[in-house]
Amino acid sequence: MLSKADIKYIKSLQIKKYRKQEQCFVVEGAKTVQELLQSDFVVKKVIGTNEFLSKNPVADRTEVVEVSEKVLEGIGEFQSNNAVIAIAEMRSNKKVEINADEFALVLDDIRDPGNLGTIIRTADWYGIQHIIASEETADFYNPKVISATMGSFTRVQIFYTDLVSYLRPYQQPIFGAFLEGKNIHEVKFGSGGLIVIGNESRGISDAVKQFVTDKITIPRFGQAESLNAAIATAVICDNVRRSR
Amino acid sequence: MLSKADIKYIKSLQIKKYRKQEQCFVVEGAKTVQELLQSDFVVKKVIGTNEFLSKNPVADRTEVVEVSEKVLEGIGEFQSNNAVIAIAEMRSNKKVEINADEFALVLDDIRDPGNLGTIIRTADWYGIQHIIASEETADFYNPKVISATMGSFTRVQIFYTDLVSYLRPYQQPIFGAFLEGKNIHEVKFGSGGLIVIGNESRGISDAVKQFVTDKITIPRFGQAESLNAAIATAVICDNVRRSR
């Protein structure tokens, strides 16, 4: 049975301040929790319906609470979730090592959680395992981010840091999209480097722009002024993979 | 001055049933309303702050009401809007003619308004002007759709219809993404045709699948199970433009 304190605790984890304090986050929905259970995240508690728990026996590795669908709908961020909620430990924010033959993303203030989640899912599709994010970027453990990743949060690692300090000593190519850049259909991306994705409204900041070694452009054939940040990420990743 | 009846009317237009009845919709935010005013949409009313109205004089072509930022924030769908709301007439749902040398999108139940808006913005970037949508697809005039298009709703036309009846007599190639399709990096897309985008959860429906003449696949390099529908649209459009 779920206590009032449990419910209060789960709800508190929707807020970044409490996630940081508790170093825990919430994962919702059958498919995403299944991905969580298959990952190396430490799972503290699984709160599921009888149907979910009978198909996904996890009592040997974590605390389990059985609840009704109605109770579940009341405690999560998403009302459409009628199967399971899990509480897991956050990973520590440690510097990710980028190999010379690897592409990684740099997020320069991606503020929308849906965009961040979609970027993580897209990165996972294109085999990109590491993301370096500015401290203003949306929180990886925000329930909206976790949900939009569709399970890819278990396979992509993020490191929040000051981008200027991170980029200054970096020796490989740093790609960034600008209107005056080289057409990505013609760019040779080589075997590794960083791809900077700019903020939804203002693009790549001046502070980060100075470190971009290769300005690139997604060619436009119509009249939209810009592309959504997650869309731009996908188109660039597809071209990177194609040119390798 | 804005009457209570005006406010009630604007709020009612957030609901599809009332939009259909009134054949009107709401556009919010400075940039998007500017795009609306430059388009051929019939604008019925512009409700803006003194700042917006002094920079965008429109009293010669539509009814204008000046309000404070505080009033604006209370009446729209988006609290972040502090400049302007406009009411415009919907276009009639008429069949779009697709030329032989043109690519158009077919949306097979895209239910998420954010996805639909991003697809419209992406189509506009890639010079795609026409979209054929199933009747289950989100409503083009939903405020969340209009907002996510970032003004592109003024340049892309949509036709809601029964896809089976629409596709049956169609003679050009019909492309659709399936796991077993041909790698889009190697497909010759030719000079025109339809590109079917499947529903967020189940992909392309069986009813529509039978009309797909060219099965294509976005190559995967990592482990995500699928891509977001708007992301898939963008990657396919980029490859179509590249191969033409």
Side-chain angles (χ1 to χ4, degrees):
Chain A
M1 157 127 194
L2 209 61
S3 69
K4 277 192 183 168
D6 283 332
I7 295 173
K8 199 173 161 190
Y9 180 71
I10 293 166
K11 285 193 179 287
S12 78
L13 295 180
Q14 290 179 9
I15 297 160
K16 186 176 176 182
K17 178 181 139 188
Y18 295 108
R19 286 196 298 273
K20 201 172 167 187
Q21 185 181 301
E22 300 293 328
Q23 290 293 303
C24 281
F25 68 109
V26 171
V27 179
E28 300 184 39
K31 194 184 159 297
T32 312
V33 170
Q34 281 164 342
E35 298 246 25
L36 174 76
L37 291 166
Q38 285 159 27
S39 75
D40 59 0
F41 274 97
V42 177
V43 181
K44 309 271 277 191
K45 195 181 275 196
V46 171
I47 301 150
T49 57
N50 180 277
E51 194 187 339
F52 180 87
L53 294 172
S54 57
K55 285 185 196 156
N56 302 273
V58 289
D60 57 329
R61 55 171 289 198
T62 185
E63 192 188 335
V64 170
V65 184
E66 188 179 315
V67 293
S68 68
E69 284 189 21
K70 201 176 147 87
V71 169
L72 261 187
E73 285 167 13
I75 55 178
E77 167 98 4
F78 303 103
Q79 291 191 329
S80 57
N81 173 27
N82 58 5
V84 63
I85 282 179
I87 300 168
E89 277 181 24
M90 286 163 54
R91 286 183 180 133
S92 62
N93 184 43
K94 63 170 185 248
K95 186 168 175 174
V96 290
E97 291 303 327
I98 312 294
N99 295 327
D101 64 346
E102 174 185 358
F103 282 95
L105 298 181
V106 174
L107 306 184
D108 186 10
D109 298 1
I110 295 294
R111 289 171 194 268
D112 181 82
N115 277 346
L116 176 57
T118 306
I119 287 171
I120 292 163
R121 180 179 175 189
T122 303
D124 187 24
W125 179 273
Y126 283 106
I128 288 176
Q129 294 172 321
H130 297 118
I131 294 176
I132 299 101
S134 68
E135 279 149 358
E136 297 302 312
T137 293
D139 182 30
F140 186 86
Y141 296 102
N142 178 317
K144 291 192 181 112
V145 174
I146 295 291
S147 168
T149 72
M150 297 294 281
S152 292
F153 75 94
T154 60
R155 291 178 292 267
V156 176
Q157 289 199 296
I158 200 163
F159 172 51
Y160 288 90
T161 190
D162 174 63
L163 293 186
V164 168
S165 315
Y166 184 90
L167 295 174
R168 183 165 285 132
Y170 187 79
Q171 297 291 326
Q172 299 265 106
I174 300 176
F175 298 91
F178 293 92
L179 289 179
E180 73 274 22
K182 189 171 174 190
N183 182 341
I184 53 165
H185 293 172
E186 291 152 16
V187 172
K188 300 278 175 219
F189 284 91
S191 59
L194 300 179
I195 301 158
V196 183
I197 305 299
N199 168 270
E200 291 93 341
S201 303
R202 61 143 172 75
I204 297 175
S205 62
D206 288 341
V208 168
K209 187 177 176 174
Q210 59 180 315
F211 299 109
V212 172
T213 59
D214 294 74
K215 290 185 180 173
I216 56 175
T217 284
I218 299 175
R220 181 175 73 157
F221 299 84
Q223 293 179 72
E225 261 186 34
S226 63
L227 286 170
N228 164 285
I231 294 284
T233 305
V235 173
I236 295 171
C237 288
D238 190 70
N239 279 272
V240 166
R241 286 300 176 195
R242 187 174 178 139
S243 99
R244 269 182 96 171
Chain B
M1 157 128 194
L2 210 60
S3 69
K4 276 192 183 167
D6 284 331
I7 295 172
K8 198 173 160 190
Y9 180 71
I10 293 165
K11 286 194 179 286
S12 78
L13 295 180
Q14 291 179 8
I15 297 160
K16 186 177 176 181
K17 179 180 138 188
Y18 295 108
R19 286 196 296 274
K20 203 172 166 186
Q21 185 181 301
E22 300 293 327
Q23 290 293 304
C24 282
F25 69 109
V26 171
V27 179
E28 300 184 39
K31 192 181 162 299
T32 312
V33 171
Q34 281 164 344
E35 298 246 25
L36 174 75
L37 291 165
Q38 285 159 27
S39 75
D40 59 0
F41 273 99
V42 176
V43 182
K44 309 272 277 189
K45 196 180 277 196
V46 171
I47 301 150
T49 58
N50 180 274
E51 193 186 340
F52 180 86
L53 295 171
S54 57
K55 285 185 196 156
N56 302 272
V58 289
D60 57 328
R61 54 170 290 196
T62 186
E63 192 187 335
V64 170
V65 183
E66 188 180 314
V67 293
S68 67
E69 284 189 21
K70 202 175 146 88
V71 169
L72 262 187
E73 285 168 12
I75 56 178
E77 168 96 3
F78 304 103
Q79 292 190 329
S80 56
N81 173 28
N82 58 4
V84 63
I85 283 180
I87 300 169
E89 278 182 21
M90 287 164 54
R91 287 183 178 133
S92 62
N93 184 44
K94 62 170 186 251
K95 187 169 175 175
V96 290
E97 292 303 325
I98 311 294
N99 295 327
D101 63 345
E102 174 185 354
F103 282 95
L105 298 180
V106 174
L107 306 185
D108 186 9
D109 299 1
I110 296 295
R111 288 172 195 268
D112 181 81
N115 277 346
L116 176 57
T118 305
I119 287 172
I120 293 165
R121 180 179 176 189
T122 304
D124 186 24
W125 178 274
Y126 283 107
I128 288 175
Q129 294 172 321
H130 297 117
I131 294 177
I132 297 101
S134 69
E135 280 149 357
E136 298 302 311
T137 293
D139 182 29
F140 186 86
Y141 296 102
N142 178 317
K144 291 192 182 111
V145 174
I146 295 293
S147 168
T149 72
M150 297 293 281
S152 292
F153 74 95
T154 60
R155 290 178 293 267
V156 175
Q157 291 199 296
I158 200 163
F159 172 51
Y160 288 90
T161 190
D162 173 62
L163 293 186
V164 169
S165 314
Y166 184 91
L167 294 174
R168 184 166 286 132
Y170 187 80
Q171 296 292 325
Q172 299 265 106
I174 301 176
F175 299 91
F178 293 92
L179 289 179
E180 72 276 19
K182 189 173 173 188
N183 182 341
I184 53 165
H185 293 172
E186 290 151 17
V187 173
K188 299 279 176 220
F189 283 91
S191 58
L194 300 179
I195 301 158
V196 182
I197 306 300
N199 168 268
E200 292 92 341
S201 303
R202 61 145 171 74
I204 296 175
S205 61
D206 288 340
V208 168
K209 186 177 175 174
Q210 59 180 316
F211 299 108
V212 172
T213 58
D214 294 74
K215 290 187 180 173
I216 57 176
T217 283
I218 299 174
R220 181 174 75 157
F221 298 84
Q223 292 178 74
E225 260 187 33
S226 63
L227 285 170
N228 164 286
I231 294 284
T233 305
V235 173
I236 295 171
C237 288
D238 190 70
N239 279 273
V240 166
R241 287 300 178 196
R242 186 173 179 141
S243 98
R244 269 183 98 170

